[in-house]
Amino acid sequence: KRENVVSTLREELHIPATSKIVGIVGRLRYEKDIPTTLKVAQKVIQEHPDTYFLLVGDGPDREGAEKTVQQMGLADKIRFLGFRQDALNVYTALDVFASTSLTEGTPNTVLEALAMEVPIVHTAVGGVPEMIQDGYDGILCRVGDVEGIAQAVLSLLNDEEKANRLREHGRQTVCAKFSFANRLKTLETIYEEVTQM
């Protein structure tokens, strides 16, 4: 269970215990629609200034995204962590897992977030709507809908009860839909390969 894992990520990144952390995990490339992610981050931080966005993973779009964040003046709040091998540590630190992907298959990262009880905001693409039931164990949004995605993230940051409900249902979903063996494998992959997509 999530409560049994202590994350050292806040300490490492000097993020206050009271701040909220939104995580984006995956290869930083075209399909992930990082420009939309950054616009969402900007909106969320405007309304909820005590929020940090962590982009975990590497890829061809990282350099451009880092420049954009510098231009926005948000380099302190939107951090690029690159490839990490301590996925469990990362997920345990997150208050919300977000993805603005244009396209997906059946992303492992969604399974991992569910397994680690991180509330999910994801675009309704590929196999994701089969994995997440909108409003029950995650929130599904339209591709490119900056306002809608930002509001979904804010709704979880501002409503602990709602976030906890999604956490609990997310864990139930993983237990119900994915066998114990698969779950173990999922948790093992969390350690190893979360950002190698």
Side-chain angles (χ1 to χ4, degrees), residues 2 7 9-10 20-25 52-54 56 87-98 113 116-119 167:
R2 183 186 167 93
S7 176
L9 197 66
R10 281 177 187 270
K20 298 289 190 180
I21 300 178
V22 180
I24 292 89
V25 181
Y52 290 78
F53 277 72
L54 305 181
V56 182
L88 199 62
N89 189 28
V90 171
Y91 278 110
T92 307
L94 301 183
D95 293 290
V96 176
F97 172 94
M116 288 305 299
E117 297 173 40
V118 185
R167 276 191 194 103

Side-chain angles (χ1 to χ4, degrees), residues 2-138:
R2 183 186 167 93
E3 297 87 76
N4 303 337
V5 186
V6 178
S7 176
T8 57
L9 197 66
R10 281 177 187 270
E11 214 173 300
E12 178 194 326
L13 301 175
H14 305 292
I15 295 175
T18 50
S19 298
K20 298 289 190 180
I21 300 178
V22 180
I24 292 89
V25 181
R27 295 256 308 137
L28 304 185
R29 51 188 299 168
Y30 169 76
E31 301 87 85
K32 296 291 176 192
D33 194 7
I34 302 302
T36 293
T37 301
L38 299 182
K39 286 179 198 148
V40 167
Q42 188 176 33
K43 258 190 181 314
V44 169
I45 292 163
Q46 271 168 0
E47 288 195 40
H48 202 297
D50 204 14
T51 305
Y52 290 78
F53 277 72
L54 305 181
L55 282 80
V56 182
D58 232 320
D61 290 2
R62 177 173 174 173
E63 203 180 320
E66 286 185 316
K67 282 197 183 114
T68 303
V69 168
Q70 290 286 351
Q71 287 158 2
M72 288 170 149
L74 289 174
D76 177 47
K77 289 296 177 82
I78 303 174
R79 312 270 187 89
F80 293 81
L81 304 192
F83 174 68
R84 302 273 305 202
Q85 290 190 306
D86 59 341
L88 199 62
N89 189 28
V90 171
Y91 278 110
T92 307
L94 301 183
D95 293 290
V96 176
F97 172 94
S99 172
T100 59
S101 289
L102 303 171
T103 170
E104 282 288 359
T106 307
N108 257 351
T109 49
V110 168
L111 271 184
E112 289 155 358
L114 289 169
M116 288 305 299
E117 297 173 40
V118 185
I120 297 172
V121 175
H122 206 298
T123 43
V125 292
V128 176
E130 278 121 64
M131 303 170 82
I132 292 174
Q133 197 180 325
D134 185 34
Y136 176 74
D137 49 15

